[in-house]
Amino acid sequence: QVQLIESGGGLVQAGGSLRLSCAASGRTFSSMGWFRQAPGKEREFVARIRWSDLKTYYADSSVKGRFTISGDNTKNTMYLQMNSLKPEDTAVYYCAGSIGVAPEYEYWGQGTQVTVSS
C-alpha cells in the first residue's frame, strides 16, 4: 500500500517559519512535490524535487526565496522549509509523488493545515 504522510503543519504568526515533512512508503518515486489549497481556491503547485539529480523547481515569486524544498531519496522523505510566512500562505499543504519522468503526481497525501496569523 502506497502512503504519503505529511506532518509539521500548525499555527504560526506572520514572519515565522514552519518545516513540513512528507514520508512516503510502499514505492519509490522519480520526483515528489508540494501543493497547497487555500479556502475557496484551487490547489496550486508550490515546489518539486527530482530525485535523480535533486533538481528543484518552485512556483512563481510568491514562494521562491522563502520556501525551500529538500529531501532524502534514500528515506523517501521530503521537506518544505517555509520562512517569512505570510497570511496568504494559509492553506492545506499536500505532498505528492510522481512515478515517471513527467511529473503527473499519481499519489497524494491527506494534507496538513498551515495557518498564518497576521
Side-chain angles (χ1 to χ4, degrees):
Q1 182 182 3
V2 179
Q3 285 188 310
L4 286 83
I5 301 176
E6 304 95 337
S7 61
L11 173 64
V12 64
Q13 288 188 333
S17 298
L18 281 175
R19 189 193 195 207
L20 304 183
S21 300
C22 175
S25 60
R27 72 160 300 129
T28 57
F29 299 101
S30 62
S31 64
M32 293 178 70
W34 288 101
F35 291 75
R36 67 184 181 184
Q37 186 168 19
K41 295 187 177 181
E42 293 187 355
R43 187 157 53 188
E44 63 176 0
F45 169 77
V46 175
R48 174 171 79 97
I49 186 166
R50 186 169 65 195
W51 291 130
S52 60
D53 55 4
L54 299 182
K55 185 174 176 58
T56 59
Y57 304 83
Y58 292 91
D60 58 22
S61 58
S62 64
V63 302
K64 199 168 186 178
R66 298 189 298 122
F67 291 9
T68 303
I69 188 171
S70 63
D72 183 345
N73 60 343
T74 64
K75 299 180 180 178
N76 235 9
T77 302
M78 176 178 65
Y79 308 100
L80 185 68
Q81 178 67 42
M82 305 186 294
N83 298 328
S84 302
L85 283 162
K86 304 175 182 179
E88 51 263 44
D89 294 318
T90 295
V92 177
Y93 284 71
Y94 298 89
C95 74
S98 183
I99 301 172
V101 174
E104 296 185 352
Y105 303 109
E106 297 88 349
Y107 296 92
W108 293 81
Q110 292 299 306
T112 185
Q113 176 70 46
V114 171
T115 302
V116 184
S117 63
S118 57

